[in-house]
Amino acid sequence: MEYQVGQPGRIIVARFNDGDDVLGGLETIARRENLRAACFSMVGGIRKGGYVVGPETEAMPPVPVWRELTESHEATGFGTIFWHGDQPKVHFHGAYAKHDCVRAGCLRRDSEAFLVLEVVITEILGVDATRELDQESGMVLLRLASKR
């Protein structure tokens, strides 16, 4: 286990309107506001999105199992934003519900808000964290710089 201790910085409240690109919008906010490290909570509606529900097996590198949201769902979840090189990378796990069907997974592509989606972002100050390519998994994962 590795960890660092930081403190909260700015709080950003964002409203995504019907049809807005959620993942792209979060990356835009991170760039405009120079958010180098942040966490966020999300609540509202999502109409579309490709999400991963786990690897096919435990073998490395993992082969993702994809699912698609193709109509409106209630959505809630938690995510982080850390940079990989010169790009902010969003990592979000959420639950998506329609009627009595509830799904959960890591939203990774084609995200589109339904009606309204609210996001509260908390900047994290005082940590040295980035995303870097992990050779074994082939994924871009969180890396904490050594602090003494």
Side-chain angles (χ1 to χ4, degrees):
M1 177 179 70
E2 303 169 49
Y3 74 93
Q4 294 180 9
V5 178
Q7 57 277 344
R10 296 170 292 169
I11 307 295
I12 298 168
V13 177
R15 173 190 165 121
F16 289 83
N17 297 308
D18 192 58
D20 285 349
D21 174 3
V22 179
L23 295 174
L26 288 166
E27 290 175 357
T28 296
I29 291 169
R31 273 198 278 317
R32 284 183 185 163
E33 298 300 324
N34 195 31
L35 293 175
R36 305 307 294 186
C39 61
F40 64 92
S41 296
M42 181 185 297
V43 63
I46 192 164
R47 170 192 325 273
K48 180 180 175 186
Y51 63 102
V52 171
V53 296
E56 286 183 9
T57 69
E58 304 304 312
M60 290 292 171
V63 176
V65 177
W66 286 92
R67 297 291 183 263
E68 300 292 327
L69 297 173
T70 59
E71 61 181 342
S72 63
H73 283 71
E74 298 295 325
T76 188
F78 180 82
T80 59
I81 303 169
F82 298 103
W83 287 59
H84 176 232
D86 62 353
Q87 295 294 317
K89 294 293 182 185
V90 174
H91 185 197
F92 174 75
H93 283 236
Y96 319 102
K98 179 84 171 189
H99 303 293
D100 293 331
C101 178
V102 179
R103 306 163 186 198
C106 180
L107 186 64
R108 293 196 187 168
R109 66 178 186 216
D110 304 324
S111 57
E112 187 177 305
F114 172 71
L115 189 56
V116 66
L117 185 74
E118 301 167 6
V119 179
V120 178
I121 304 167
T122 302
E123 181 179 33
I124 305 169
L125 300 173
V127 298
D128 189 355
T130 58
R131 296 202 192 280
E132 292 187 9
L133 180 62
D134 176 71
Q135 294 300 321
E136 182 181 10
S137 69
M139 299 173 68
V140 177
L141 302 177
L142 178 64
R143 181 182 175 282
L144 298 173
S146 296
K147 283 196 165 189
R148 300 194 192 261

